[in-house]
Amino acid sequence: MRIVIQRVSRASVTIADHVKSKIGKGYLILLGIEAADTTDDIDWLVKKIIGLRVFDDENGVMNLSIMETGGDIIVVSQFTLMASYKKGNRPSWIRAAKHDISIPLYNEFVSRLSTALGKPVGTGEFGADMKVELINDGPVTICMDTKNKE
């Protein structure tokens, strides 16, 4: 699994002129899933996301987690995160998991993240043409890959 976490002042997902999810301060997370991913990848990511200390404390130092700030989260499926661009200029998404694997894992990721956060997590709609808007706060953007844990 690959994710891009963006610390946001606000974010929203709109589908066909209807706002599906909207948050204030928190994270917008883009999630890419490959066929080799499992619930172990979900567990590792959820623990990292919940514990990540990238929100400012009273001294303006990035020292607080989303749990400590009461922030919200939106998770958007993003198969293009699995792009292979090794050959040529047209990316291949051969590594992206097919729907029968990715949809259950996406739903499980959202469910476990919501449980860990202690409140609902906003979503997009799997496979939909989504318009994602955000104000990246900082900017703070962090990429994580469960196959390359740095």
Side-chain angles (χ1 to χ4, degrees):
M1 287 183 171
R2 286 183 182 163
I3 63 171
V4 175
I5 302 173
Q6 297 180 82
R7 185 181 76 179
V8 298
S9 299
R10 66 177 183 266
S12 65
V13 177
T14 302
I15 303 167
D17 296 325
H18 169 73
V19 176
K20 170 92 164 73
S21 296
K22 183 177 182 178
I23 63 168
K25 183 178 178 178
Y27 293 143
L28 170 68
I29 298 176
L30 306 175
L31 171 67
I33 300 170
E34 66 179 317
D37 290 331
T38 69
T39 55
D40 289 341
D41 296 295
I42 293 171
D43 292 338
W44 186 83
L45 282 174
V46 167
K47 183 178 178 181
K48 284 293 185 184
I49 292 164
I50 293 299
L52 194 64
R53 298 184 330 174
V54 296
F55 292 94
D56 291 348
D57 64 15
E58 65 279 356
N59 298 314
V61 177
M62 286 196 289
N63 198 33
L64 300 177
S65 71
I66 195 157
M67 297 296 290
E68 295 165 307
T69 63
D72 294 313
I73 298 175
I74 292 178
V75 178
V76 176
S77 62
Q78 183 88 37
F79 77 93
T80 60
L81 287 178
M82 305 315 292
S84 173
Y85 40 85
K86 203 174 204 179
K87 295 181 182 178
N89 293 318
R90 184 172 188 272
S92 167
W93 290 281
I94 192 106
R95 288 186 51 207
K98 304 291 183 224
H99 286 102
D100 61 322
I101 294 170
S102 56
I103 292 173
L105 284 174
Y106 171 79
N107 289 334
E108 186 65 21
F109 177 80
V110 169
S111 175
R112 290 187 190 195
L113 189 55
S114 177
T115 298
L117 189 62
K119 58 183 165 180
V121 167
T123 63
E125 183 177 310
F126 203 92
D129 180 21
M130 296 174 272
K131 307 302 179 208
V132 179
E133 293 186 81
L134 69 137
I135 303 295
N136 192 321
D137 181 20
V140 174
T141 302
I142 297 173
C143 300
M144 293 183 187
D145 188 326
T146 60
K147 305 302 186 265
N148 185 21
K149 298 173 181 169
E150 293 185 33

